[in-house]
Amino acid sequence: MAYSMHNVVIGRRQILRELKKDNIAEIQIATDAETQYITSLIEVAKEHGVTYRLSGTMSEISAEYGIEVPTGAVGVLKA
C-alpha cells in the first residue's frame, strides 16, 4: 500500500490523538519495535475497533512512507 505523508500520522502519540477523533482507518506496526510499544498499540486499536497489522521493520516502514527517521508505527487516516 502506498500512501503519501498526507494520509498518515507518525508514531504512537499522533496515532492516539487521531484515534480519539475517530480519524484512523488502520495502524501499521513495525515488527522490530519494542514489545511494550507493540502491545500498547494493539490494545488501543482493539479498543477503537481499528484494523492493525504487524509488518515491516521500523526502517522499512519509514522508507515506505517517506519518513526520514525509523518509526515504530504509522496510522493511516480515514479518507
Side-chain angles (χ1 to χ4, degrees):
M1 282 184 222
Y3 296 98
S4 73
M5 287 291 295
H6 301 289
N7 298 93
V8 298
V9 291
I10 303 162
R12 186 176 186 277
R13 184 177 298 142
Q14 290 186 27
I15 290 170
L16 293 175
R17 184 181 312 131
E18 293 302 322
L19 278 171
K20 289 178 183 178
K21 299 177 194 176
D22 194 31
N23 286 340
I24 299 288
E26 177 185 79
I27 301 170
Q28 181 178 355
I29 307 167
T31 57
D32 62 344
E34 293 182 17
T35 303
Q36 183 178 353
Y37 184 86
I38 293 171
T39 303
S40 69
L41 282 172
I42 290 172
E43 284 179 20
V44 76
K46 288 180 179 179
E47 287 172 13
H48 288 271
V50 172
T51 302
Y52 67 89
R53 61 187 168 107
L54 286 168
S55 66
T57 64
M58 294 191 317
S59 295
E60 290 169 343
I61 290 173
S62 296
E64 180 179 349
Y65 294 99
I67 303 165
E68 294 183 15
V69 296
T71 185
V74 295
V76 178
L77 297 173
K78 291 181 178 177

